[in-house]
Every structure is written in C-alpha cells, then in structure tokens.
C-alpha cells in the first residue's frame, strides 16, 4: 500500500539557518503530494502542494519539488524564524484514488534565537 | 477561507460512556473525514463520508461510528469509550474527489477517557 516516510525529529535550528525536512513516498502511479503544518494547539494547515512530477510547491518561503525519480518531496526553507516552530507533515493522495490522504508521522521543528 | 469547526477543544469522559464529537464545515464540501493523531503514529483515518448519509471505513474504524445527516455536519461517535481512545481527534473536509484537492482541518478535540 501507499506510505510516506519522514525524517525523525525533533529538528533544532538557530534562527536564519537553512531547513531541510526529508520526505519520501511509496505509491502506485502519480500521486499528489502535500506538506501540512501544525502549530502548537492547532489543527493542520496546508502549507504547499504539487500535483505532478517536477512541480514545485511554494508558500511563506517554504519550497518542495516533486521528484518522481527519487520518489521524494523534501521541504526546504532558506532562513527559518522562531515562528516556524511547528510540526510538519508530508502526505500523499493517490491519483484516481478518491478520498484517502496518507500521512507521514510528522517532524517537529524547533527554531531558537 | 474554509472554516472547519469542531465543537470542543478539550473533552474528558469516563470509560463506558457514549461520546459524540461534532464537526461542521461552511464550504458545502462533499467530503468529510475523521482522523486520530497519536505521537509517533501521525494521523490515521477513522471514517470518511463523501455524501449525506454515506460513509466508508478508514484504517482504524473499530470502536467508532459516524453520522452524516446534513452535508455540513459530520459526527464521530464512540459507542463505549475506552482508555485507548484517549487521543487528539481531527476533522477535515474537502471539495470534490480529485486527488489534487487539499483537505482542510479543524483545530482538533483533545479527548481524555478516564
């Protein structure tokens, strides 16, 4: 079945550091890929998405590129802020698969001054 | 913006009680979902509904049921609550059935079963 694997957390960075959170997936066909963010005490918010190979999703300084050859969708940001501290979830939706989203286990990011 | 509202942020119930978690969305979305979130396990789908009175089991439906009498409202029911159902519960909605449509989440209900 479909699966999403994320790097273990927590990831601790200093403000203005470069961020990479790795995400790889297993799925048949060409799924759509998403990154969600969960701030403390809140639900999940969509951060960005990509729906086909080589697409780049971007939002709020975050980027991720859909790499079919490596089945990856790594999240990057050039300069993190304390306000980026949150849990980040990678997810996939199978093409033609209707309703199901498969999530990774989440990666906690802590940004310190 | 899509608004998904869960009726309670925190809830404490006793073992054996029947528990109702309510979720309402304001964007006329066809699809609604219930997940539970546990540390180290990510989000797991309990049930979803793609139309009024329609429901399908997710990955972990045991011990739960759902009700969707109106399009905007999707209820999760714990028939006889047990301590292993202590968790964060998240409701989501989505427009259409296309795989490229994102799900929109509520703020969650943190449920404790004593």
């Amino acid at each position: 079945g479909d699966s999403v694997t994320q790097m273990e957390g927590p990831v601790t960075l200093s403000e203005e550091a470069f961020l990479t959170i790795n995400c790889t997936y297993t799925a048949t066909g060409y799924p759509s890929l998403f990154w969600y963010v969960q701030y403390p005490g809140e639900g999940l918010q969509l951060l960005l998405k990509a729906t086909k190979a080589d697409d780049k999703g971007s939002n709020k300084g975050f980027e991720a590129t859909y790499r079919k050859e490596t089945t990856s969708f790594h999240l990057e940001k050039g300069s993190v802020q304390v306000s980026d501290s949150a849990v980040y979830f990678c997810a996939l939706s199978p093409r033609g698969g209707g309703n199901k989203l498969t999530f990774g286990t989440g990666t906690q990011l802590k940004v310190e001054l | 913006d899509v608004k998904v509202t869960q009726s309670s942020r925190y809830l404490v119930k006793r073992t054996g009680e029947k528990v109702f978690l309510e979720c309402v969305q304001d964007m006329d979305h066809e699809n609604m979902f219930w997940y539970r979130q546990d540390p180290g396990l990510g989000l797991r789908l309990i049930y979803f509904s793609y139309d009024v009175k329609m429901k399908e089991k997710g990955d972990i439906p045991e011990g739960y049921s759902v009700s969707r009498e109106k399009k905007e409202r999707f209820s999760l029911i714990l028939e006889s609550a047990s301590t292993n159902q202590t968790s964060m519960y998240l409701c989501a909605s989505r427009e259409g059935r296309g795989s490229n449509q994102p799900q929109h989440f509520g703020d969650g209900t943190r449920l404790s079963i004593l």
Side-chain angles (χ1 to χ4, degrees):
Chain A
D2 298 340
S3 66
V4 175
T5 302
Q6 289 182 236
M7 61 189 290
E8 292 282 331
V11 173
T12 303
L13 296 174
S14 298
E15 202 170 42
E16 299 184 0
F18 185 87
L19 168 71
T20 300
I21 300 178
N22 290 337
C23 171
T24 57
Y25 68 90
T26 302
T28 54
Y30 300 88
S32 292
L33 301 172
F34 305 85
W35 276 102
Y36 284 84
V37 58
Q38 185 177 34
Y39 297 103
E42 298 183 10
L44 276 68
Q45 301 175 23
L46 177 67
L47 183 59
L48 54 84
K49 70 176 186 180
T51 59
K52 60 183 187 295
D54 300 324
D55 264 2
K56 177 184 283 189
S58 62
N59 186 25
K60 300 181 181 179
F62 291 89
E63 294 182 340
T65 301
Y66 188 140
R67 301 283 189 202
K68 179 160 176 55
E69 62 276 11
T70 54
T71 62
S72 64
F73 191 55
H74 304 322
L75 183 68
E76 296 182 337
K77 187 176 185 182
S79 176
V80 293
Q81 307 298 313
V82 171
S83 57
D84 294 325
S85 298
V87 181
Y88 292 82
F89 290 91
C90 185
L92 73 81
S93 177
R95 188 162 308 278
N99 286 294
K100 188 172 180 181
L101 264 183
T102 298
F103 286 88
T105 54
T107 301
Q108 184 175 13
L109 170 65
K110 297 180 181 178
V111 181
E112 300 172 336
L113 291 171
Chain B
D1 279 353
V2 176
K3 183 70 173 176
V4 178
T5 303
Q6 295 184 228
S7 55
S8 304
R9 293 297 300 273
Y10 301 94
L11 207 53
V12 180
K13 296 292 182 180
R14 296 201 174 277
T15 303
E17 281 192 67
K18 190 169 186 176
V19 181
F20 293 85
L21 302 183
E22 306 288 345
C23 175
V24 176
Q25 50 95 2
D26 67 354
M27 286 301 292
D28 203 37
H29 285 173
E30 294 91 343
N31 307 287
M32 297 188 74
F33 308 82
W34 275 106
Y35 294 88
R36 63 178 283 176
Q37 181 181 9
D38 299 289
L41 297 176
L43 276 74
R44 294 178 292 167
L45 182 64
I46 304 171
Y47 267 98
F48 66 95
S49 169
Y50 52 90
D51 202 349
V52 174
K53 297 191 185 295
M54 305 304 288
K55 61 185 179 183
E56 286 196 27
K57 294 179 180 179
D59 297 320
I60 52 163
E62 296 78 19
Y64 303 94
S65 62
V66 291
S67 172
R68 192 159 181 210
E69 297 296 319
K70 294 185 179 181
K71 192 174 186 179
E72 67 270 19
R73 185 179 298 271
F74 192 36
S75 302
L76 180 69
I77 303 157
L78 286 65
E79 297 290 343
S80 177
S82 63
T83 55
N84 63 11
Q85 292 178 309
T86 292
S87 186
M88 168 72 92
Y89 290 87
L90 291 165
C91 175
S93 73
R94 191 182 80 181
E95 178 182 14
R97 291 178 65 88
S99 64
N100 60 349
Q101 296 295 322
Q103 294 186 13
H104 302 270
F105 286 82
D107 284 338
T109 296
R110 188 166 292 283
L111 175 64
S112 296
I113 306 298
L114 304 179

